[in-house]
Amino acid sequence: MNPLPLHRKMFRLIPVLFIVITGVAYAACAPPKSPAPTPTPTVAPTASPRYLDPNAPIEERVADLLARMTLDEKIGQMTQAERSAIDADVTAIARYGIGSILSGGGSAPSPNTPEAWADMYDRYQKQALSTRLGIPLIYGIDAVHGHNNVRGAVVFPHNIGLGATRDPQLAEEIGRITALEVAGTGIDWTFSPCVAVPQDERWGRTYEGFSEDPELVATMAVALIRGYQGDDLSSSTTILATAKHYVGDGGTAYGTGVRGGLDQGDMRVDEATLRRIHLAPYVAAVDAGVGSIMASFSSWNGQKMHGNRYLLTDVLRGELGFRGLVVSDWQAIDQLPGDYRSDVKTAINAGIDMVMVPYDYVAFINTLRQLVNDGEVPMERIDEAVGRILWAKFALGLFERPYTDRTLTSRIGAPEHREVARRAVRQSLVLLRNENNLLPLPKNLNRIVVAGLHADNLGYQCGGWTITWQGGSGDITEGTTILQAIRNAVSAGTKVDYAPDGTGASGADVGIVVVGETPYAEFEGDRHDLTLSPDDLRTIQNVKAAGVPVVVILITGRPLIIEPELENWDALLVAWLPGTEGQGVADVLFGDYAPTGKLPYTWPRTMEQIPINIGDSDYDPLFPYGFGLSYPGR
Ligand code: GLC
């Protein structure tokens, strides 16, 4: 059952009421030709304003509030500032009527504890509620694999691993838990799910995508959206979801992106391809009632998405019927051609409703006010954007419940949440090779040697977008490393030695070598060479040279080039970026769970084959899309 049909019905009513009520308001506060301050609209005083009546239909609350707002109050709602830009003087929130705050990747209070996050959120919210109309803030964050900025929160496998599970029910459960943990810090809005359909694994955001297959992306994205938004967006444990980055972020051409890579580059395809591959997940997300969409940094055939009115308004609104809010990406409107004034004009008129400024919000506010006063951005466009933003705030219940529900704060990182994450890890692992049925391993071997720099490194196994934007190394948060998980799983008599470089393995029953990519995010992860590092290859070789069977576990945000070495590996398990619950890897290694994961991306033989995707004519990968072994008889 689509949990959110109400959104669609309500959204359809808003424009009608806009015209009726805001027509009156427009006459009262139409932008003067000269830059005189806009008068406060004259609306008949009532005992209790309609917009504050929780029983009134949302569209009536929106229309009533809009009619009371000045131009500056409206523009403030369209402004999203980074927390670091206001944290030193939170009164700026009230002074400028800022409608939204975000945490960019890793932007956290100190100490980074759930309680400190909740205190920070409530401190900001108090400022917003002190304004003339008391419009609450909406706070956004990249909770993209759990509440990953917060120390102690459960970090789930990144989307590439969820794609390998092919389990939408699991994804919905992960969304529900993530929403609860996010809400436990007060925050209302996640910039997730990424519904990119990555076509070229050299892209640093491949792991943020579920798959190269738009159908699998749509299925998993809808499940996460349902988990985040639930059946009742006004519940204290649900948050607003964001489908991103609209549209075609995963289809850019190599060499057109940042620093000659792919990220933020130019997608050079015809419209039929854009619709078939990259738009399809948005059709599903909109039908599932996603509350917001983030525009993409990237371009389509040379036009920046943030200025593409055809796709942002005609297609997204007119064809797909999206009624939620469109937020820009980080400082993305600045990349539009022309000066800042033309950037703001182009983006707002194209269909951006809220601008992630994120720092110089005063410049944004002044620029947009001038554009409206000069008649270059119509007041109808402002009212349309602000109406969508207000609708989200009413739907979230922020006017009735603006502060953190502290009963949720202590549930962040709960054991039952970690169990779900462990299950997700188990289901995400893909077994690509298992010579002589080496796996599963007995739990009572004499001696196991574990090797590789990724075996005992929580930061590495979480990947990017974890505690910091780029991710980190070592004990960056709470969790279980793969080495710890192996030690937890085996019997007391089994000796488990850790040899980071793989030396000293002779005499062991088996060598388990955990290698792969170190964390990265966005353009920092664009690579032209996807082979394993010489150190990783040397580590594997050291174990092999000791004459023991070798199990290779890859920690990676994408398929890597491994064909030359593969025949020397007895078993190969791909763990992707599993997150904090490494015990799920041991569950598969020792047979408590037989691997069920299937490749969500085609696994190329060589760099020269990339891009290579299912459906290509000359399709000859090392492992095809959907490939994955299991254990004999399981
Ligand atoms: C980043 C990313 C986007 C993220 C936003 C806020 O640049 O492109 O995915 O949601 O900024 O952190």
Coordinates of all heavy atoms in Angstrom, one line a residue, residues 343-393:
D343 N 22.9 33.7 -11.5 CA 22.8 32.3 -11.0 C 21.5 32.1 -10.2 O 20.8 31.2 -10.4 CB 24.0 32.0 -10.1 CG 25.3 32.0 -10.8 OD1 25.3 31.9 -12.0 OD2 26.3 32.1 -10.1
V344 N 21.2 33.1 -9.3 CA 20.0 33.0 -8.5 C 18.8 33.0 -9.3 O 17.9 32.2 -9.2 CB 20.0 34.1 -7.4 CG1 18.7 34.1 -6.6 CG2 21.2 33.9 -6.4
K345 N 18.8 34.0 -10.2 CA 17.6 34.2 -11.1 C 17.3 32.9 -11.9 O 16.2 32.4 -12.0 CB 17.8 35.3 -12.1 CG 16.7 35.5 -13.1 CD 17.0 36.7 -14.0 CE 16.0 36.9 -15.0 NZ 16.3 38.1 -15.9
T346 N 18.4 32.4 -12.5 CA 18.2 31.2 -13.4 C 17.8 30.0 -12.6 O 16.8 29.3 -13.0 CB 19.6 30.8 -14.0 OG1 20.0 31.9 -14.8 CG2 19.5 29.6 -14.9
A347 N 18.4 29.8 -11.4 CA 18.0 28.6 -10.6 C 16.6 28.6 -10.1 O 15.9 27.7 -10.2 CB 19.0 28.4 -9.4
I348 N 16.2 29.8 -9.5 CA 14.9 29.9 -8.9 C 13.8 29.8 -10.0 O 12.8 29.1 -9.9 CB 14.7 31.2 -8.1 CG1 15.8 31.3 -7.0 CG2 13.3 31.3 -7.6 CD1 15.7 30.2 -6.0
N349 N 14.1 30.5 -11.1 CA 13.1 30.4 -12.2 C 13.0 29.1 -12.9 O 12.0 28.7 -13.5 CB 13.4 31.5 -13.2 CG 13.0 32.9 -12.7 OD1 12.1 33.0 -11.8 ND2 13.6 34.0 -13.3
A350 N 14.1 28.3 -12.8 CA 14.1 27.0 -13.4 C 13.3 26.0 -12.5 O 12.9 24.9 -13.1 CB 15.6 26.4 -13.5
G351 N 13.2 26.3 -11.2 CA 12.4 25.4 -10.4 C 13.1 24.9 -9.1 O 12.6 24.1 -8.4
I352 N 14.2 25.5 -8.7 CA 14.9 25.3 -7.4 C 14.0 26.0 -6.4 O 13.8 27.2 -6.5 CB 16.3 25.8 -7.4 CG1 17.2 25.1 -8.4 CG2 16.9 25.6 -6.0 CD1 17.4 23.6 -8.2
D353 N 13.6 25.3 -5.3 CA 12.7 26.0 -4.3 C 13.6 26.4 -3.1 O 13.3 27.4 -2.5 CB 11.7 24.9 -3.8 CG 10.8 24.5 -4.9 OD1 10.3 25.3 -5.7 OD2 10.6 23.2 -5.0
M354 N 14.6 25.6 -2.7 CA 15.4 26.0 -1.6 C 16.9 25.9 -2.0 O 17.3 25.0 -2.7 CB 15.2 25.0 -0.4 CG 16.0 25.3 0.8 SD 15.8 24.1 2.1 CE 14.2 24.5 2.8
V355 N 17.7 26.9 -1.6 CA 19.1 27.0 -2.1 C 20.0 26.6 -0.9 O 19.9 27.3 0.2 CB 19.4 28.3 -2.6 CG1 20.9 28.5 -2.9 CG2 18.7 28.6 -3.9
M356 N 20.8 25.5 -1.1 CA 21.8 25.1 -0.1 C 23.0 26.1 -0.4 O 23.8 25.8 -1.2 CB 22.2 23.7 -0.4 CG 23.2 23.1 0.6 SD 23.7 21.4 0.2 CE 22.2 20.5 0.3
V357 N 23.0 27.2 0.3 CA 23.8 28.3 -0.1 C 25.3 27.9 -0.1 O 26.0 28.2 -1.2 CB 23.6 29.6 0.8 CG1 24.4 30.7 0.3 CG2 22.1 30.0 0.7
P358 N 26.0 27.4 0.9 CA 25.5 27.2 2.3 C 26.1 28.3 3.2 O 25.7 28.3 4.4 CB 26.1 25.9 2.6 CG 27.4 25.8 1.9 CD 27.2 26.6 0.6
Y359 N 27.0 29.1 2.8 CA 27.7 30.0 3.7 C 27.2 31.5 3.6 O 26.7 32.0 4.6 CB 29.2 30.0 3.5 CG 29.9 28.7 3.8 CD1 30.5 27.9 2.8 CD2 29.8 28.1 5.0 CE1 31.0 26.7 3.0 CE2 30.3 26.8 5.3 CZ 31.0 26.2 4.3 OH 31.5 24.9 4.5
D360 N 27.3 32.1 2.4 CA 27.0 33.5 2.3 C 25.5 33.7 2.1 O 25.0 34.2 1.1 CB 27.8 34.2 1.2 CG 27.7 35.7 1.3 OD1 27.0 36.2 2.2 OD2 28.5 36.4 0.5
Y361 N 24.7 33.3 3.1 CA 23.3 33.4 3.0 C 22.7 34.8 2.9 O 21.7 35.1 2.3 CB 22.6 32.6 4.2 CG 23.1 33.0 5.5 CD1 22.5 34.1 6.2 CD2 24.1 32.4 6.2 CE1 23.0 34.5 7.4 CE2 24.6 32.8 7.4 CZ 24.0 33.8 8.0 OH 24.4 34.2 9.3
V362 N 23.5 35.8 3.5 CA 23.0 37.2 3.4 C 23.0 37.6 1.9 O 22.1 38.3 1.4 CB 23.9 38.1 4.3 CG1 23.5 39.6 4.1 CG2 23.8 37.7 5.7
A363 N 24.1 37.3 1.2 CA 24.2 37.6 -0.2 C 23.0 37.0 -1.0 O 22.4 37.7 -1.8 CB 25.5 37.2 -0.8
F364 N 22.7 35.7 -0.7 CA 21.6 35.1 -1.4 C 20.3 35.8 -1.1 O 19.6 36.1 -2.1 CB 21.5 33.6 -0.9 CG 20.2 32.9 -1.4 CD1 20.1 32.7 -2.8 CD2 19.2 32.7 -0.6 CE1 18.9 32.1 -3.3 CE2 18.0 32.1 -1.0 CZ 17.9 31.8 -2.4
I365 N 20.0 36.1 0.1 CA 18.8 36.8 0.5 C 18.7 38.1 -0.2 O 17.7 38.5 -0.8 CB 18.7 36.9 2.0 CG1 18.5 35.5 2.7 CG2 17.6 37.8 2.5 CD1 18.7 35.5 4.2
N366 N 19.7 38.9 -0.1 CA 19.7 40.2 -0.7 C 19.5 40.2 -2.3 O 18.8 40.9 -2.9 CB 21.0 41.0 -0.4 CG 21.0 41.4 1.1 OD1 20.0 41.5 1.8 ND2 22.2 41.6 1.6
T367 N 20.2 39.2 -2.9 CA 20.1 39.0 -4.3 C 18.7 38.7 -4.8 O 18.2 39.2 -5.7 CB 21.2 38.0 -4.8 OG1 22.5 38.4 -4.4 CG2 21.1 37.9 -6.3
L368 N 18.1 37.7 -4.1 CA 16.8 37.2 -4.5 C 15.8 38.3 -4.2 O 14.9 38.5 -5.0 CB 16.4 36.0 -3.7 CG 15.1 35.3 -4.1 CD1 14.9 35.2 -5.6 CD2 14.9 33.9 -3.4
R369 N 15.9 39.1 -3.1 CA 15.0 40.2 -2.8 C 15.0 41.2 -4.0 O 14.0 41.6 -4.5 CB 15.3 40.9 -1.5 CG 14.3 42.0 -1.2 CD 14.8 42.9 -0.1 NE 15.2 42.3 1.1 CZ 16.4 42.2 1.6 NH1 17.4 42.8 0.8 NH2 16.7 41.6 2.7
Q370 N 16.2 41.5 -4.4 CA 16.4 42.5 -5.5 C 15.7 42.0 -6.8 O 15.1 42.7 -7.5 CB 17.8 42.8 -5.7 CG 18.1 44.1 -6.5 CD 17.4 45.3 -5.9 OE1 17.7 45.6 -4.7 NE2 16.5 45.9 -6.6
L371 N 16.0 40.7 -7.0 CA 15.4 40.1 -8.3 C 13.9 40.2 -8.3 O 13.2 40.4 -9.3 CB 15.9 38.7 -8.4 CG 17.3 38.5 -8.9 CD1 17.8 37.1 -8.6 CD2 17.5 38.8 -10.3
V372 N 13.3 39.9 -7.1 CA 11.8 40.0 -7.0 C 11.4 41.4 -7.1 O 10.5 41.7 -7.9 CB 11.3 39.4 -5.7 CG1 9.8 39.6 -5.5 CG2 11.7 37.9 -5.6
N373 N 12.0 42.3 -6.4 CA 11.6 43.7 -6.5 C 11.8 44.3 -7.9 O 11.1 45.2 -8.3 CB 12.5 44.6 -5.5 CG 12.0 44.3 -4.1 OD1 10.9 43.8 -3.8 ND2 12.9 44.6 -3.1
D374 N 12.7 43.7 -8.7 CA 12.9 44.2 -10.1 C 12.1 43.4 -11.0 O 12.2 43.6 -12.2 CB 14.4 44.0 -10.5 CG 15.3 45.0 -9.7 OD1 14.8 45.9 -9.0 OD2 16.6 44.7 -9.7
G375 N 11.2 42.5 -10.5 CA 10.3 41.8 -11.4 C 11.0 40.7 -12.2 O 10.4 40.2 -13.1
E376 N 12.2 40.3 -11.8 CA 12.9 39.3 -12.6 C 12.6 37.9 -12.1 O 12.9 36.9 -12.8 CB 14.4 39.6 -12.7 CG 14.7 40.9 -13.4 CD 16.2 41.1 -13.5 OE1 16.9 40.2 -14.0 OE2 16.6 42.2 -13.1
V377 N 12.2 37.8 -10.8 CA 11.7 36.5 -10.3 C 10.3 36.8 -9.8 O 10.1 37.6 -8.9 CB 12.5 36.0 -9.1 CG1 11.8 34.8 -8.5 CG2 13.9 35.6 -9.6
P378 N 9.2 36.2 -10.4 CA 7.9 36.6 -10.1 C 7.5 36.1 -8.7 O 8.0 35.1 -8.2 CB 7.0 35.9 -11.1 CG 7.9 34.9 -11.8 CD 9.3 35.3 -11.6
M379 N 6.6 36.9 -8.0 CA 6.2 36.5 -6.7 C 5.5 35.2 -6.7 O 5.6 34.4 -5.7 CB 5.3 37.6 -6.1 CG 4.8 37.3 -4.7 SD 6.2 37.2 -3.5 CE 6.3 39.0 -3.1
E380 N 4.8 34.8 -7.8 CA 4.2 33.5 -7.9 C 5.2 32.4 -7.7 O 4.9 31.4 -7.1 CB 3.5 33.4 -9.2 CG 2.2 34.2 -9.4 CD 2.6 35.6 -9.9 OE1 3.8 35.9 -10.1 OE2 1.7 36.4 -10.2
R381 N 6.4 32.6 -8.2 CA 7.4 31.6 -8.1 C 7.9 31.5 -6.7 O 8.1 30.4 -6.2 CB 8.6 31.9 -9.1 CG 9.8 31.0 -9.0 CD 9.6 29.7 -9.7 NE 9.2 28.6 -8.9 CZ 9.9 27.9 -8.1 NH1 11.2 28.1 -8.0 NH2 9.4 26.9 -7.4
I382 N 8.0 32.6 -6.0 CA 8.4 32.6 -4.6 C 7.3 31.9 -3.8 O 7.6 31.0 -3.0 CB 8.6 34.1 -4.1 CG1 9.7 34.8 -4.9 CG2 8.8 34.1 -2.6 CD1 11.1 34.2 -4.7
D383 N 6.1 32.2 -4.0 CA 5.0 31.6 -3.3 C 4.9 30.1 -3.5 O 4.7 29.3 -2.6 CB 3.7 32.3 -3.6 CG 3.5 33.7 -3.0 OD1 4.3 34.0 -2.1 OD2 2.7 34.5 -3.4
E384 N 5.2 29.7 -4.7 CA 5.1 28.3 -5.1 C 6.2 27.6 -4.3 O 6.0 26.5 -3.7 CB 5.4 28.2 -6.6 CG 5.3 26.8 -7.2 CD 5.5 26.8 -8.7 OE1 6.7 27.1 -9.0 OE2 4.6 26.5 -9.4
A385 N 7.4 28.1 -4.3 CA 8.6 27.5 -3.6 C 8.3 27.5 -2.1 O 8.5 26.4 -1.5 CB 9.9 28.3 -3.9
V386 N 7.9 28.6 -1.5 CA 7.7 28.7 -0.1 C 6.5 27.8 0.3 O 6.6 27.1 1.4 CB 7.5 30.1 0.3 CG1 7.2 30.2 1.8 CG2 8.7 31.0 0.0
G387 N 5.5 27.7 -0.5 CA 4.4 26.8 -0.2 C 4.8 25.4 -0.1 O 4.4 24.7 0.8
R388 N 5.7 24.9 -0.9 CA 6.2 23.5 -0.9 C 7.1 23.3 0.4 O 7.0 22.3 1.0 CB 7.1 23.2 -2.1 CG 6.3 23.1 -3.4 CD 7.1 23.3 -4.6 NE 6.3 23.2 -5.8 CZ 6.7 23.6 -7.0 NH1 7.9 24.2 -7.1 NH2 6.0 23.5 -8.1
I389 N 7.9 24.3 0.7 CA 8.7 24.2 2.0 C 7.8 24.2 3.2 O 8.0 23.3 4.1 CB 9.7 25.4 2.0 CG1 10.7 25.3 0.9 CG2 10.4 25.5 3.4 CD1 11.5 26.6 0.6
L390 N 6.8 25.1 3.2 CA 5.9 25.1 4.4 C 5.1 23.8 4.5 O 4.9 23.2 5.5 CB 5.0 26.3 4.3 CG 5.6 27.7 4.4 CD1 4.5 28.7 4.2 CD2 6.4 27.8 5.7
W391 N 4.7 23.3 3.3 CA 3.9 22.0 3.3 C 4.7 20.9 4.0 O 4.2 20.2 4.8 CB 3.6 21.6 1.9 CG 2.4 20.6 1.9 CD1 1.1 20.9 1.7 CD2 2.5 19.2 2.1 NE1 0.4 19.8 1.8 CE2 1.2 18.7 2.0 CE3 3.6 18.3 2.3 CZ2 0.9 17.4 2.2 CZ3 3.3 17.0 2.5 CH2 2.0 16.5 2.4
A392 N 6.0 20.8 3.7 CA 6.9 19.8 4.3 C 6.9 20.0 5.8 O 6.9 19.0 6.6 CB 8.3 19.9 3.7
K393 N 7.0 21.3 6.2 CA 7.2 21.5 7.7 C 5.9 21.2 8.4 O 5.9 20.6 9.5 CB 7.5 23.0 7.9 CG 8.9 23.3 7.4 CD 9.3 24.7 7.7 CE 10.8 25.0 7.3 NZ 11.3 26.3 7.7

